[in-house]
Amino acid sequence: MATARAQPSSRTSKRPKLNTGGDESNLNDLVNFQLPPRRQQFTGPRRSKKTAATAPWARERFVNSAYRFVLKPSVTADYTVHFVDPDIYFQWPDIIQILVPHTSSSLTGEGNTMCPICLGAPVAPRMTKCGHVYCYACILHYLQTSDQAGWHRCPICFDSISEAALKPVKWFFESESEALGTANGTAFKMRLMQRPQLTTLALPQSETWPSDLIPPHQAAFQFLPDIYKFAKFMLPTPKSLQDDLQEEIVSLSIDRDEKINVADGLGASFVERAITKVYRLIEDAKALDVPSLRDAINNAERGMEIAAEVAEKRQNVTRHPEFSPAQGDARPEHWADEHDNIQSIPREAAAATPSKQLKSRRNINPPPHSTSTYYFYQAASGSPIFLHPLDIRILLSHFGSYANFPRDIEVKVEARNEGTVDDDLRKRCKYLAHLPEAADVTFVEADLTSVVGKDTIAAFDSALKNRRARRREKERRDDRARVKAEERERDRLAEEHWVLKFSAARPTISSVEDEELQAFLGADTQQSSAQPAPPGAWGQRSFASTLSAPATGM
């Protein structure tokens, strides 16, 4: 009778041995023996830091932090969640166009203005989901070489890319003076930004912000004031999309003619294919021109006209004191009706998106209204360049309230500090919580004498001296680290040069053995010529002489 063997288990060592005493009944009982079920303690999902830093997450985070987006103005689209959390990624199908700053140097030294395939300026540029920009024809040609149907590996990061996921790119050209204005000792223009606490939309303070013309939790059209420069995302108009695509048609046609002139028929064929696809995008843009979207665009344009009229009348009152209420004079009725309340612009008339959008798809938890507002200064060009927190304290001491800050200032830059948005920066500078994680920012230390005067600056003399001391200490540390790094590099290069030189001058072991072998062979040859070796199977000849002897036939 075959006895059952107990399977090895990690818990058998802790179980006491059973004394069967040779009784088969005890062995039969062991056949049906089962351990009690192990109790598992639920600890929740395991999330390690290694999982959070995987390539897809880093790729999406980079695209979300480095660029701005033009989104689809669809009736079913709801972008309210992006006004609450800047780290939520945009759905790739909702993106129509990606705005890339021309001065960006995030990817390459050429500022992302060079196609990695043809090494030229991108023609009708297209961006992949991994954030790399190519010529439309170049990436189509590259995708055609794939053995896999519909996708290929990115030539830069080897991430999977497909033709359907390519997005048009539009360069965002900043003012050259503003882009280079952060150099020490130069004048730099900045604008007062205003951001309600529970929204990620921060715009320069103006007659149209905040107002019903640009709702703080509703995507705005790109033609509204300051939206194109400062908003993280925006809505296009069908006409603006068609104009941009027509410019791509012109660029592609020029590129096709150049390739034909140099007898590059294959390249011209892919350019022609790109032109065909751009024409399809133009048809898609025309299809967006529905009555609901057209009404929303007209209402937004009308609201902008009303705001411009109100701003002009306010300036007229400032220029003509006879209308000033401080002197007891009556103001024109048509001016007073619109000047007293800019909020009088009807919400329905100034809405930037169709009213059907909110009815068809409302956010589950819309953010509540908040009266708390953050004020800070940003570069007038829209670049992520901000005034140093200490300088903001100086301005607050002089003007008494953030709302009294001047809307535009021009300061002289003393120094600049570069950083990256993370949890620590968001805690120290809460007014920058609307920026996505990993976004690059620059803080400028400015000379505010022309704005607040020398008396206010004198009150912060100690804090300014400490800031300069910390800056100089940081510069010294950076210089020492740079010198040490250069010394380590020189030592490494010198060591490699010495090793290569010594290896070339020193004879190798094989060469020494060859010399000894040749000397031995020469001596043996002389000895053999003087006294012939006796014949035999082995004889008295050495193994070395046997190697040097000519082969004989059998």
Side-chain angles (χ1 to χ4, degrees), residues 187-333:
F188 190 61
K189 295 181 180 180
M190 310 193 79
R191 297 185 66 179
L192 178 63
M193 306 293 294
Q194 184 175 357
R195 179 179 71 85
Q197 185 177 6
L198 295 180
T199 182
T200 59
L201 182 60
L203 298 176
Q205 189 182 39
S206 62
E207 288 78 9
T208 58
W209 174 258
S211 70
D212 288 340
L213 179 62
I214 305 176
H217 300 109
Q218 201 169 342
F221 288 106
Q222 61 183 9
F223 62 82
L224 290 174
D226 299 320
I227 291 295
Y228 186 73
K229 275 189 176 183
F230 294 93
K232 176 67 177 178
F233 57 96
M234 62 204 72
L235 299 179
T237 63
K239 185 179 183 305
S240 65
L241 290 177
Q242 295 177 43
D243 293 342
D244 294 338
L245 294 174
Q246 287 292 346
E247 293 180 1
E248 291 188 349
I249 293 292
V250 174
S251 301
L252 289 170
S253 301
I254 296 175
D255 187 31
R256 178 194 55 192
D257 296 339
E258 291 178 353
K259 284 182 169 54
I260 292 176
N261 292 335
V262 296
D264 186 6
L266 181 61
S269 64
F270 283 99
V271 176
E272 187 65 32
R273 180 180 175 184
I275 293 176
T276 303
K277 293 183 176 297
V278 174
Y279 275 118
R280 294 178 184 174
L281 294 178
I282 293 177
E283 296 299 325
D284 295 340
K286 292 180 180 179
L288 295 175
D289 192 8
V290 295
S292 58
L293 181 61
R294 194 182 308 116
D295 293 341
I297 294 174
N298 295 334
N299 294 335
E301 292 176 347
R302 176 56 184 163
M304 190 169 59
E305 292 175 359
I306 295 175
E309 293 175 1
V310 172
E312 183 179 358
K313 292 169 183 176
R314 284 181 176 178
Q315 294 177 359
N316 292 335
V317 171
T318 305
R319 296 172 184 173
H320 302 284
E322 61 271 14
F323 295 143
S324 175
Q327 298 181 3
D329 297 329
R331 297 175 296 177
E333 294 181 358

Side-chain angles (χ1 to χ4, degrees), residues 181-188 411-416 443-447:
T182 53
N184 297 350
T186 58
F188 190 61
V411 296
K412 183 179 293 185
V413 177
E414 292 184 349
R416 59 178 180 176
F443 293 95
V444 293
E445 301 177 7
D447 181 9

Side-chain angles (χ1 to χ4, degrees), residues 11 15 29-37:
R11 302 181 63 179
R15 190 189 312 157
D29 292 338
L30 290 177
V31 174
N32 298 326
F33 175 78
Q34 294 182 356
L35 290 173

Side-chain angles (χ1 to χ4, degrees), residues 117 126 134-146 162-164 166 269-277:
I117 297 178
R126 290 296 184 270
Y134 303 90
C135 295
Y136 200 2
C138 290
I139 194 64
L140 290 178
H141 191 177
Y142 177 75
L143 290 171
Q144 189 69 25
T145 62
S146 174
S162 63
E163 181 180 336
L166 299 176
S269 64
F270 283 99
V271 176
E272 187 65 32
R273 180 180 175 184
I275 293 176
T276 303
K277 293 183 176 297

Side-chain angles (χ1 to χ4, degrees), residues 36-79:
R38 180 178 299 179
R39 298 179 59 185
Q40 297 182 356
Q41 184 178 1
F42 179 74
T43 59
R46 297 181 179 179
R47 297 180 180 179
S48 61
K49 296 182 178 179
K50 183 177 181 180
T51 304
T54 54
W57 185 75
R59 171 200 66 192
E60 294 176 354
R61 183 180 63 171
F62 166 76
V63 174
N64 184 58
S65 62
Y67 307 122
R68 300 186 297 126
F69 306 94
V70 178
L71 303 180
K72 183 183 300 182
S74 175
V75 176
T76 59
D78 185 10
Y79 307 114

Side-chain angles (χ1 to χ4, degrees), residues 505-520:
R506 179 182 178 183
T508 59
I509 297 177
S510 59
S511 62
V512 174
E513 292 179 348
D514 290 342
E515 293 178 358
E516 295 179 352
L517 182 61
Q518 292 296 335
F520 182 79

